[in-house]
Amino acid sequence: MGSCGTWAWRELLVLLSSVWLWVGSAQPTLPGPTHTPRPQLKFRLAGYPRKHNEGRVEVFYNDEWGTICDDDFTLANAHVLCRHLGFVAATGWAHSAKYGKGIGRIWLDNVNCAGGEKSIGDCKHRGWGNSDCSHEEDAGVICKDERIPGFKDSNVIETEQSHVEEVRLRPVVSGARRQLPVMEGIVEVRYKDGWAQICDEGWDSQNSRVVCGMMGFPAEKKVNRNFYKLASKSQTKQKHREDVGSKKRLFTERQQLNYRLHSVSCVGTEVHLSMCTFEFYRGNTSAACRAGMPVVVSCVPGPLFATGNAHKKKQRQQQQGQPRIRLKGGAKVGEGRVEVLKSSEWGTICDDRWNLLSASVVCRELGFGSAKEALTGARMGQGMGPIHMNEVQCLGTEKSLWSCPFKNITQEDCKHTEDAAVRCNIPYMGYENLIRLAGGRTAFEGRVEVKRGSKWGTVCSDGWTTKEAMVACRQLGLGYSLHAVTETWYWDASNVTEMVLSGVKCAGHEMSLSHCQHHGTSLNCRNTGTRFAAGVICSETASDLLLHAPLVQETAYIEDRPLHMLYCAAEENCLSSSARLANWPYGHRRLLRFSSQIHNNGRADFRPKAGRHSWVWHECHRHYHSMDIFTHYDILTPNGTKVAEGHKASFCLEDTECEEDVAKRYECANFGEQGITVGCWDLYRHDIDCQWIDITDVKPGNYILQVVINPNFEVAESDFTNNAMKCNCKYDGHRIWVHSCHIGDALSEEANKRFEQYPGQLNNQIS
């Protein structure tokens, strides 16, 4: 039995080993780092406009260039990618195709690196080529401008020699050298640590159009080439002046011309010169451009930047008739949500197929240059009302967006979460060099200091409000105003003690504090010490409140309410002044009641200015007021005379309801935090106290009902022009008919005039 058992075991082992060998040979070999080499990955930075150490990340995999989706993208991912590109680390990353949309495959999605990986392939991801993204989500990186020692540039496909990043117009006329914006001059491109010229052989108006668009101008004009020829001939350093035509003086500070580009050919719709075809001069360029001269371009400014009488006359001619396009909600000039006028009503554009070509048509139509960014996904806040256009597909040559092919919208197609927006190139004005912040904890806050002549000084805080702070933040390039600060003793970290500006009063749209009303050299300030100098806290985002107008119209009615039920309302001044003379508690007051639904369509939560510690408790109604006056309610005659008024304190700012996928954040119960979250709304029902106007003393007639949210601009918003709502009212002494309710800036100028000239309003009697 023993020998049989041994034999059986040997047979079994042989059999098993043969099966193992057969299975092993039948199965594919598992990939391993030593046996199967990975496909070689190459990386490059692409896009526009950008510097050499930033851009859209493109990866070469499986013999094809593609991009990386920004879903779940982190700084750790950027570190790995920057090391691939030869930089020591990343300082940031960009989402939503900031550097333009790529083409081809989206190779990677949901990339999750720890930061120490040697290759992006070692990071977790969905698999090569497995993505649910579009190129509108292409990721970019900003790398630290420090190279890895000894790194070879073999992986960096777009090297310094093959693209153009920075372009400028260098003025050569004496007066133009001091004036901004620069509208005419020699076109120069950044090269190494200096600037180089472009040869004008073959240069045409389409090329000039692209350069002017980059500089922030909507159009180009013909240049007197002979006027500049003299400047290009001499190559020695000397000064030459010549009177030409209108006695303009030509500066010709001689310098060695350094030609970099030639044979530039643009279609005219490009948003950057780097998108045109061109060739570089190689090697010694001393003999370059023998038959030509440096490119000179002259641009036509838009209405906002026009200077001189001739420009202003042309501007007035262009402005006849209301424009059919506008930008809303942007912090800076030349950016915002795109709104178009159709059938006398303003509406938005859906972002399907929205791109730089269409965005550039918008920018040029408004008097700016080409588009810097075509923004999707309501990045400048959501609009209200209709969505007029979808799938806009401009060629880039159109004079108006209405000339571009587009689809009419249906309710199923788009929502306001898909509102399109733009950032346009605007001329450099240098306003940011005339203002600075001192003493703040971050770059976004501090005491405001302005430059008047050659002197820096503070600004008087008398009358310093959110509107003035909005202009200061815009001039600083820091977005929106979060707070206007009138006491800045805790920011006293500067040697500047002299006040140089007082009486500042802004409308809120100005580009610089110097454009606002002020006292000039006749300074007058109640508190002149630095303790009371004006300050700001700026923010990149802001809230934007709008009243839902149809609900007011649907819920308006009259109630005769007994006086004995109005003691709390009287305590909070919610009745007209004549109520004090009434025979309390007998009699009644006639109230116009309605519901208010206030939406936050901005990009930041709306929070009360006062902190919770300073909210006021009202015993009668048993609640806290976080804002003394949150809304004004007025009944106006056609000429604007107020015949009845009401006001609404913020009894409770909270999220009553929210859009789908938006979570409520604010609730008043148990002394909770107050505010309105982005994408939510606060509802004041018609049946709560003070949600009315006391019209007891109003005579029968036709009126305008006006509701204004945040009337004192206590809390910063991205757009105050949409805070008012108006309705037509017809009151016969017993009943009231409220109709034609709309947000204050929702209609065309012509429709607003018709609204205000409602038949029968002029004599204030029922017709």
Side-chain angles (χ1 to χ4, degrees):
M1 285 292 291
S3 61
C4 287
T6 305
W7 177 85
W9 273 110
R10 284 176 183 165
E11 288 293 310
L12 184 61
L13 284 170
V14 170
L15 183 64
L16 284 172
S17 63
S18 63
V19 170
W20 179 82
L21 285 168
W22 178 82
V23 171
S25 62
Q27 293 297 317
T29 305
L30 293 173
T34 53
H35 301 296
T36 307
R38 292 181 182 179
Q40 187 184 1
L41 301 178
K42 295 179 183 177
F43 297 85
R44 68 183 180 189
L45 293 175
Y48 49 82
R50 65 181 184 84
K51 297 178 182 175
H52 68 280
N53 59 324
E54 64 177 327
R56 180 178 65 249
V57 179
E58 296 192 349
V59 56
F60 190 72
Y61 175 83
N62 203 20
D63 295 326
E64 189 178 347
W65 284 103
T67 61
I68 299 175
C69 181
D70 63 11
D71 288 353
D72 301 328
F73 207 86
T74 64
L75 189 61
N77 299 356
H79 282 312
V80 175
L81 288 164
C82 284
R83 287 197 296 272
H84 270 305
L85 292 157
F87 298 97
V88 294
T91 59
W93 61 278
H95 59 84
S96 305
K98 178 184 174 181
Y99 300 102
K101 291 186 282 190
I103 56 174
R105 298 287 295 272
I106 299 175
W107 277 126
L108 292 172
D109 189 7
N110 300 112
V111 180
N112 184 6
C113 301
E117 293 87 351
K118 290 185 177 180
S119 169
I120 197 75
D122 295 334
C123 303
K124 294 178 182 176
H125 54 80
R126 291 177 60 157
W128 289 94
N130 183 9
S131 169
D132 59 359
C133 299
S134 70
H135 281 295
E136 291 171 348
E137 300 167 85
D138 284 345
V141 293
I142 303 101
C143 301
K144 187 177 181 182
D145 195 4
E146 184 181 336
R147 304 292 288 171
I148 296 171
F151 185 88
K152 294 181 180 178
D153 281 346
S154 58
N155 270 358
V156 186
I157 305 301
E158 275 200 34
T159 64
E160 180 190 39
Q161 301 302 314
S162 62
H163 62 273
V164 172
E165 293 172 358
E166 203 174 340
V167 180
R168 75 174 184 183
L169 272 187
R170 180 169 62 85
V172 291
V173 177
S174 59
R177 298 190 81 152
R178 292 186 295 272
Q179 288 181 352
L180 291 174
V182 175
M183 294 180 283
E184 182 172 308
I186 293 175
V187 180
E188 296 185 327
V189 296
R190 172 71 75 181
Y191 178 57
K192 294 184 178 176
D193 294 328
W195 294 90
Q197 294 76 42
I198 303 173
C199 181
D200 74 344
E201 290 176 4
W203 187 270
D204 61 18
S205 62
Q206 301 301 336
N207 300 350
S208 296
R209 176 180 165 84
V210 172
V211 170
C212 287
M214 291 175 65
M215 298 297 112
F217 302 107
E220 77 293 342
K221 65 179 181 181
K222 196 170 182 180
V223 177
N224 181 357
R225 194 167 177 268
N226 293 328
F227 179 69
Y228 287 92
K229 256 187 180 176
L230 186 64
S232 64
K233 286 183 181 175
S234 175
Q235 305 238 338
T236 58
K237 284 193 174 180
Q238 59 179 343
K239 289 190 178 177
H240 182 87
R241 291 182 292 186
E242 181 181 278
D243 292 331
V244 178
S246 59
K247 303 294 182 186
K248 282 199 252 180
R249 285 183 175 176
L250 182 64
F251 268 98
T252 55
E253 290 178 332
R254 297 306 173 198
Q255 59 182 18
Q256 183 73 32
L257 290 173
N258 179 18
Y259 287 104
R260 179 87 181 112
L261 299 183
H262 67 97
S263 305
V264 179
S265 178
C266 304
V267 176
T269 58
E270 297 90 346
V271 298
H272 197 277
L273 199 63
S274 63
M275 299 174 71
C276 305
T277 61
F278 51 80
E279 292 182 29
F280 287 96
Y281 284 110
R282 307 288 178 186
N284 184 7
T285 61
S286 58
C289 201
R290 290 234 163 153
M293 57 179 266
V295 166
V296 178
V297 163
S298 184
C299 304
V300 179
L304 268 180
F305 304 95
T307 56
N309 293 331
H311 282 309
K312 286 178 180 174
K313 185 178 179 183
K314 190 172 183 181
Q315 173 188 337
R316 281 195 297 270
Q317 290 170 351
Q318 289 172 343
Q319 285 183 334
Q320 288 175 356
Q322 187 184 16
R324 297 181 65 196
I325 193 164
R326 69 184 183 187
L327 300 182
K328 300 285 283 181
K332 301 174 185 174
V333 173
E335 69 175 32
R337 180 177 62 253
V338 182
E339 295 191 352
V340 291
L341 188 63
K342 182 181 179 184
S343 303
S344 298
E345 189 173 9
W346 288 99
T348 61
I349 297 175
C350 186
D351 64 10
D352 291 350
R353 305 187 78 164
W354 185 247
N355 61 21
L356 282 164
L357 288 175
S358 301
S360 290
V361 171
V362 169
C363 291
R364 290 183 190 270
E365 186 177 354
L366 289 165
F368 306 114
S370 50
K372 212 165 17 178
E373 290 183 73
L375 302 170
T376 58
R379 291 269 299 281
M380 291 289 177
Q382 296 180 35
M384 281 192 90
I387 300 173
H388 285 321
M389 303 170 95
N390 187 22
E391 295 194 24
V392 181
Q393 295 180 67
C394 300
L395 297 173
T397 55
E398 297 86 350
K399 297 287 185 187
S400 169
L401 195 71
W402 288 104
S403 304
C404 303
F406 67 92
K407 288 185 179 178
N408 289 316
I409 201 76
T410 62
Q411 199 167 0
E412 296 76 32
D413 288 335
C414 285
K415 297 177 181 176
H416 281 296
T417 52
E418 300 169 81
D419 284 343
V422 295
R423 282 198 179 101
C424 305
N425 287 313
I426 65 167
Y428 174 73
M429 301 299 292
Y431 293 136
E432 69 275 17
N433 300 324
L434 304 175
I435 189 170
R436 67 189 183 192
L437 297 182
R441 296 162 297 179
T442 70
F444 282 80
E445 67 177 31
R447 189 177 69 192
V448 175
E449 295 178 357
V450 295
K451 193 174 185 181
R452 304 282 288 168
S454 59
K455 187 192 300 180
W456 285 94
T458 62
V459 179
C460 176
S461 65
D462 291 354
W464 184 257
T465 68
T466 300
K467 285 193 170 184
E468 288 71 43
M470 281 171 66
V471 176
C473 290
R474 180 178 299 122
Q475 187 177 351
L476 286 157
L478 296 178
Y480 308 94
S481 157
L482 195 59
H483 292 297
V485 184
T486 54
E487 284 193 44
T488 54
W489 53 269
Y490 45 84
W491 284 336
D492 193 12
S494 168
N495 295 327
V496 173
T497 56
E498 189 178 348
M499 187 190 69
V500 295
L501 198 60
S502 68
V504 180
K505 188 174 178 59
C506 303
H509 56 74
E510 295 88 348
M511 289 185 274
S512 164
L513 286 176
S514 61
H515 297 165
C516 304
Q517 294 179 29
H518 55 84
H519 290 154
T521 54
S522 306
L523 300 176
N524 182 12
C525 188
R526 193 171 60 238
N527 299 302
T528 55
T530 53
R531 173 190 175 97
F532 298 101
V536 292
I537 301 175
C538 304
S539 172
E540 291 180 318
T541 57
S543 60
D544 186 21
L545 297 188
L546 291 95
L547 189 69
H548 187 54
L551 187 65
V552 175
Q553 188 169 311
E554 292 163 10
T555 57
Y557 64 96
I558 285 176
E559 179 193 10
D560 289 337
R561 194 162 182 81
L563 282 173
H564 70 82
M565 300 176 71
L566 293 170
Y567 279 105
C568 281
E571 181 190 298
E572 296 195 11
N573 296 317
C574 295
L575 302 174
S576 63
S577 56
S578 65
R580 297 193 207 102
L581 307 174
N583 185 22
W584 291 78
Y586 309 106
H588 67 271
R589 303 298 293 181
R590 177 157 289 182
L591 309 174
L592 169 59
R593 308 194 73 143
F594 51 88
S595 296
S596 291
Q597 187 173 296
I598 297 158
H599 293 245
N600 182 2
N601 284 4
R603 292 188 295 144
D605 295 353
F606 184 91
R607 299 296 309 278
K609 183 179 179 181
R612 198 165 13 174
H613 62 280
S614 58
W615 295 352
V616 180
W617 173 257
H618 282 255
E619 182 62 34
C620 196
H621 279 130
R622 301 194 61 76
H623 56 227
Y624 285 95
H625 285 189
S626 56
M627 291 175 68
D628 284 338
I629 297 178
F630 179 54
T631 26
H632 275 168
Y633 306 143
D634 300 312
I635 297 288
L636 310 172
T637 62
N639 63 8
T641 305
K642 201 179 291 184
V643 294
E645 63 180 21
H647 77 273
K648 180 76 175 163
S650 59
F651 287 4
C652 167
L653 280 174
E654 68 177 356
D655 299 326
T656 309
E657 293 291 340
C658 297
E659 293 171 3
E660 193 178 348
D661 299 328
V662 178
K664 294 180 183 179
R665 193 174 295 170
Y666 303 105
E667 190 175 2
C668 297
N670 303 317
F671 196 39
E673 289 289 351
Q674 293 195 23
I676 307 175
T677 305
V678 175
C680 298
W681 57 88
D682 189 6
L683 176 63
Y684 287 98
R685 285 173 51 90
H686 58 84
D687 54 359
I688 65 173
D689 259 10
C690 296
Q691 187 60 39
W692 63 56
I693 303 177
D694 184 350
I695 61 169
T696 306
D697 306 319
V698 175
K699 296 175 182 178
N702 292 286
Y703 299 95
I704 294 173
L705 165 63
Q706 179 176 277
V707 179
V708 184
I709 311 165
N710 192 16
N712 299 334
F713 314 112
E714 280 186 48
V715 178
E717 297 185 49
S718 59
D719 186 5
F720 287 114
T721 62
N722 56 14
N723 281 30
M725 185 223 66
K726 294 181 178 180
C727 305
N728 280 132
C729 294
K730 189 168 186 174
Y731 176 49
D732 65 2
H734 304 285
R735 294 161 300 174
I736 196 159
W737 179 38
V738 177
H739 64 101
S740 304
C741 294
H742 64 278
I743 298 298
D745 66 345
L747 304 181
S748 67
E749 290 173 2
E750 190 180 331
N752 264 325
K753 285 176 186 173
R754 287 198 303 270
F755 172 85
E756 290 167 1
Q757 293 169 0
Y758 177 65
Q761 283 190 328
L762 295 178
N763 59 15
N764 223 25
Q765 298 296 318
I766 297 290
S767 54

